[in-house]
């Protein structure tokens, strides 16, 4: 049972997230040779004020 964790900054639509999990599921299923219904995906969305790059908060950009 593959378990995939994806961390994202919030702001994507429900449609975009559904497309993401569909595509990731298909890729894992194909390349790991497991049935799609055995692929588990956890989406972790964080706000821009909880993520930094290069020592600067993303919310400050």
């Amino acid at each position: 049972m593959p378990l995939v964790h994806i961390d994202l900054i919030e702001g994507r639509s429900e449609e975009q997230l559904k497309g993401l999990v569909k595509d990731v599921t298909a890729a894992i299923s194909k390349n790991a040779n497991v049935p799609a219904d055995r692929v588990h995906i956890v989406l972790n969305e964080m706000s821009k004020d909880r993520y930094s790059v290069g020592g600067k908060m993303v919310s400050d950009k």
Side-chain angles (χ1 to χ4, degrees):
M1 168 191 84
L3 175 60
V4 180
H5 288 263
I6 301 174
D7 295 316
L8 299 162
I9 293 176
E10 66 187 2
R12 287 158 184 86
S13 69
E14 193 71 21
E15 203 170 284
Q16 288 173 310
L17 295 174
K18 287 179 181 181
L20 176 63
V21 298
K22 180 181 177 184
D23 292 348
V24 170
T25 298
I28 297 291
S29 179
K30 175 186 172 188
N31 293 290
N33 196 29
V34 297
D37 65 349
R38 300 294 296 156
V39 178
H40 297 243
I41 299 175
V42 177
L43 298 176
N44 295 307
E45 291 187 288
M46 63 195 105
S47 62
K48 290 180 180 181
D49 62 351
R50 296 293 182 256
Y51 186 74
S52 71
V53 176
K56 297 182 180 178
M57 299 303 290
V58 172
S59 58
D60 292 340
K61 293 183 178 187

